Amino acid sequence: MTNQEFLEYMNSGKEVIAGSDIHLKMTELSNEAMKITSELNNSYHTPEEIKVLMEKLTGREFSEGAYMFPPFYTDCGKNLKIGRNVFINSCCQFQDQGGITIGDGTLIGPKTVIATLNHHQNPNKRANLIPKPVKIGKNVWIGANATILPGVTIGDGAVIAAGALVSKDVEANTVVGGVPAKLIKRIQTEE
């Protein structure tokens, strides 16, 4: 199975049956990601070296102005799309097998978790996985220790408070916080 075939399947949202070819490809890509992130995380790297490692991890260009503070953890890397001028702070963990898209200008606080997979609720199928993408708009600010759950879309300009558990879509230009995250206020924007 090619990486492209894998991504097409995962982006379809179809259930991943434990032990299937797609599940085995997930394991292969996870092992590759562990090898690359181990290199990224276990010594100092210049911004240029981080860019090279992130491009190797994701299989795509690390966008102009994007930057991160390692350590960084992911289970795949190949289904992660990072926009321009994105900042990812230290100790973030992205489960991108189901797809993560991060819009231009987004700031992601330390220890943020973004999950894109759920296990099947039926105990007889518990090892099966259900992928749902996370889409983060432009100029979003995600505070430290936030958790974004599978299938969530965060609108442009939104703020996710530190420690929030985001289980539902977030409107553009709003502030949400809490467990589960709820609307705190709307942001007044100036053009």
Side-chain angles (χ1 to χ4, degrees):
M1 173 175 291
T2 67
N3 286 352
Q4 187 59 40
E5 290 169 331
F6 169 79
L7 292 174
E8 287 171 10
Y9 187 93
M10 296 304 287
N11 292 333
S12 76
K14 294 177 189 170
E15 183 175 344
V16 177
I17 308 300
S20 66
D21 287 345
I22 196 80
H23 192 247
L24 295 174
K25 184 68 172 180
M26 289 176 80
T27 303
E28 174 190 322
L29 291 175
S30 291
N31 285 321
E32 180 183 320
M34 284 188 283
K35 182 177 180 182
I36 297 166
T37 56
S38 179
E39 183 179 350
L40 175 68
N41 296 336
N42 288 310
S43 65
Y44 171 77
H45 296 284
T46 66
E48 295 77 20
E49 292 168 333
I50 290 171
K51 177 180 177 7
V52 168
L53 287 166
M54 288 301 292
E55 289 176 349
K56 184 176 177 184
L57 178 67
T58 63
R60 56 178 51 93
E61 183 180 354
F62 195 54
S63 297
E64 178 185 336
Y67 192 67
M68 71 170 7
F69 288 164
F72 173 75
Y73 306 94
T74 185
D75 66 350
C76 180
K78 302 299 186 245
N79 212 0
L80 174 59
K81 299 173 187 101
I82 300 170
R84 293 186 335 259
N85 301 312
V86 168
F87 174 67
I88 301 169
N89 213 321
S90 62
C91 298
C92 288
Q93 186 160 353
F94 294 0
Q95 180 192 55
D96 70 286
Q97 301 242 13
I100 297 173
T101 302
I102 302 169
D104 296 346
T106 289
L107 308 174
I108 301 176
K111 298 184 181 177
T112 293
V113 174
I114 302 174
T116 64
L117 296 174
N118 276 317
H119 287 277
H120 204 289
Q121 288 187 0
N122 179 337
N124 298 321
K125 298 180 179 183
R126 189 60 43 88
N128 294 358
L129 298 161
I130 301 156
K132 291 185 180 178
V134 169
K135 297 176 184 168
I136 300 169
K138 295 178 181 177
N139 300 311
V140 171
W141 176 19
I142 300 174
N145 290 299
T147 299
I148 316 296
L149 295 182
V152 167
T153 296
I154 299 172
D156 294 347
V159 175
I160 310 302
L165 174 64
V166 183
S167 59
K168 295 181 180 175
D169 290 353
V170 176
E171 291 181 47
N173 300 311
T174 60
V175 177
V176 300
V179 178
K182 294 184 171 132
L183 177 67
I184 295 173
K185 69 178 184 177
R186 298 191 184 282
I187 299 170
Q188 300 299 318
T189 60
E190 297 178 17
E191 296 298 321

